[in-house]
Coordinates of all heavy atoms in Angstrom, one line a residue:
V315 N 0.9 -11.9 -0.7 CA 0.0 -12.3 0.5 C -1.4 -12.5 -0.1 O -1.9 -11.8 -0.9 CB 0.0 -11.1 1.5 CG1 -1.0 -11.4 2.6 CG2 1.4 -10.8 2.0
I320 N -7.5 -14.0 3.3 CA -7.3 -13.8 4.7 C -8.4 -12.9 5.3 O -9.1 -13.2 6.3 CB -5.9 -13.2 5.0 CG1 -4.8 -14.2 4.8 CG2 -5.9 -12.7 6.5 CD1 -3.4 -13.7 4.7
L332 N -6.1 -3.7 4.1 CA -5.5 -3.6 5.4 C -4.7 -4.8 5.7 O -3.6 -4.7 6.4 CB -6.6 -3.4 6.5 CG -7.4 -2.1 6.4 CD1 -8.4 -2.0 7.6 CD2 -6.4 -0.9 6.4
V333 N -5.1 -6.0 5.2 CA -4.2 -7.2 5.4 C -2.9 -7.0 4.7 O -1.8 -7.2 5.3 CB -5.0 -8.4 4.8 CG1 -4.0 -9.6 4.8 CG2 -6.2 -8.7 5.6
L334 N -2.9 -6.5 3.4 CA -1.7 -6.3 2.7 C -0.9 -5.2 3.3 O 0.4 -5.3 3.4 CB -2.0 -6.0 1.2 CG -0.9 -6.1 0.2 CD1 -0.3 -7.5 0.2 CD2 -1.4 -5.8 -1.2
L335 N -1.5 -4.2 3.8 CA -0.9 -3.1 4.5 C -0.2 -3.6 5.8 O 0.9 -3.1 6.1 CB -1.8 -2.0 4.8 CG -1.3 -0.7 5.4 CD1 -0.2 -0.1 4.6 CD2 -2.4 0.3 5.6
G336 N -0.8 -4.6 6.5 CA -0.2 -5.1 7.7 C 1.2 -5.7 7.4 O 2.1 -5.6 8.1
K337 N 1.3 -6.4 6.2 CA 2.6 -7.0 5.8 C 3.6 -5.9 5.5 O 4.7 -5.9 6.0 CB 2.4 -7.8 4.6 CG 3.7 -8.5 4.1 CD 4.4 -9.3 5.1 CE 3.9 -10.7 5.3 NZ 4.6 -11.5 6.2
L338 N 3.1 -4.8 4.8 CA 4.0 -3.7 4.6 C 4.5 -3.0 5.9 O 5.7 -2.7 6.0 CB 3.4 -2.7 3.6 CG 4.2 -1.4 3.3 CD1 5.5 -1.8 2.7 CD2 3.4 -0.5 2.4
A339 N 3.6 -2.8 6.8 CA 3.9 -2.1 8.1 C 4.9 -3.0 8.8 O 5.8 -2.4 9.5 CB 2.6 -1.9 8.9
S340 N 4.8 -4.3 8.8 CA 5.7 -5.1 9.5 C 7.1 -5.2 8.9 O 8.1 -5.5 9.5 CB 5.2 -6.6 9.6 OG 5.2 -7.2 8.4
M341 N 7.2 -4.8 7.6 CA 8.5 -4.8 6.9 C 9.2 -3.4 6.8 O 10.3 -3.3 6.4 CB 8.3 -5.3 5.4 CG 7.7 -6.6 5.3 SD 7.2 -7.0 3.6 CE 8.8 -6.9 2.8
Y347 N 5.9 -1.5 13.8 CA 4.5 -2.0 13.5 C 3.5 -1.3 14.5 O 2.5 -0.9 14.1 CB 4.5 -3.5 13.6 CG 3.1 -4.0 13.5 CD1 2.5 -4.2 12.2 CD2 2.3 -4.3 14.6 CE1 1.2 -4.7 12.1 CE2 1.0 -4.8 14.5 CZ 0.5 -5.0 13.2 OH -0.8 -5.4 13.1
E348 N 3.9 -1.2 15.8 CA 3.1 -0.6 16.8 C 2.8 0.8 16.5 O 1.7 1.3 16.7 CB 3.7 -0.8 18.2 CG 3.8 -2.2 18.7 CD 4.9 -3.1 18.0 OE1 5.8 -2.5 17.4 OE2 4.8 -4.3 18.0
E351 N 0.3 0.9 13.7 CA -1.1 0.6 14.2 C -1.7 1.7 14.9 O -2.9 2.0 14.7 CB -1.0 -0.7 15.1 CG -2.3 -1.1 15.6 CD -2.1 -2.3 16.6 OE1 -1.7 -3.4 16.2 OE2 -2.5 -2.1 17.8
V371 N -7.5 -3.5 13.3 CA -6.3 -4.0 14.0 C -6.1 -5.5 13.7 O -5.0 -6.0 13.4 CB -6.3 -3.7 15.5 CG1 -5.3 -4.4 16.2 CG2 -6.2 -2.2 15.7
K372 N -7.3 -6.2 13.7 CA -7.2 -7.7 13.4 C -6.7 -7.9 12.0 O -5.9 -8.8 11.7 CB -8.5 -8.3 13.7 CG -8.9 -8.5 15.1 CD -10.2 -9.2 15.3 CE -10.6 -9.2 16.7 NZ -12.0 -9.8 16.9
M373 N -7.2 -7.1 11.0 CA -6.8 -7.2 9.6 C -5.3 -6.9 9.5 O -4.6 -7.7 8.8 CB -7.6 -6.3 8.8 CG -9.1 -6.6 8.6 SD -9.4 -8.1 7.7 CE -10.8 -8.7 8.6
L374 N -4.9 -5.9 10.1 CA -3.5 -5.5 10.0 C -2.6 -6.6 10.6 O -1.6 -7.0 10.0 CB -3.3 -4.2 10.8 CG -2.1 -3.3 10.4 CD1 -2.3 -2.7 9.0 CD2 -2.0 -2.2 11.5
A375 N -3.0 -7.1 11.7 CA -2.2 -8.2 12.4 C -2.2 -9.5 11.6 O -1.1 -10.1 11.5 CB -2.7 -8.5 13.8
A376 N -3.3 -9.8 10.9 CA -3.3 -11.0 10.0 C -2.3 -10.8 8.9 O -1.7 -11.8 8.5 CB -4.7 -11.2 9.5
G377 N -2.2 -9.6 8.3 CA -1.3 -9.4 7.3 C 0.2 -9.4 7.8 O 1.0 -10.0 7.1
R378 N 0.4 -8.9 8.9 CA 1.7 -8.9 9.6 C 2.2 -10.4 9.7 O 3.3 -10.7 9.4 CB 1.7 -8.3 10.9 CG 3.0 -8.4 11.7 CD 2.8 -8.0 13.2 NE 1.9 -9.0 13.8 CZ 1.2 -8.8 14.9 NH1 1.3 -7.6 15.5 NH2 0.4 -9.7 15.4
D379 N 1.2 -11.2 10.1 CA 1.6 -12.6 10.4 C 1.5 -13.6 9.2 O 1.9 -14.7 9.3 CB 0.6 -13.1 11.5 CG 0.8 -12.4 12.8 OD1 1.8 -11.7 13.0 OD2 -0.2 -12.3 13.6
A380 N 1.1 -13.0 8.1 CA 0.9 -13.9 6.9 C 2.3 -14.3 6.3 O 3.3 -13.6 6.5 CB 0.1 -13.1 5.8

Side-chain angles (χ1 to χ4, degrees):
V315 176
I320 293 168
L332 295 181
V333 173
L334 198 57
L335 184 57
K337 180 55 84 177
L338 178 58
S340 72
M341 299 171 66
Y347 176 83
E348 292 76 17
E351 181 184 297
V371 167
K372 286 180 186 176
M373 293 291 147
L374 203 67
R378 174 197 63 202
D379 299 338

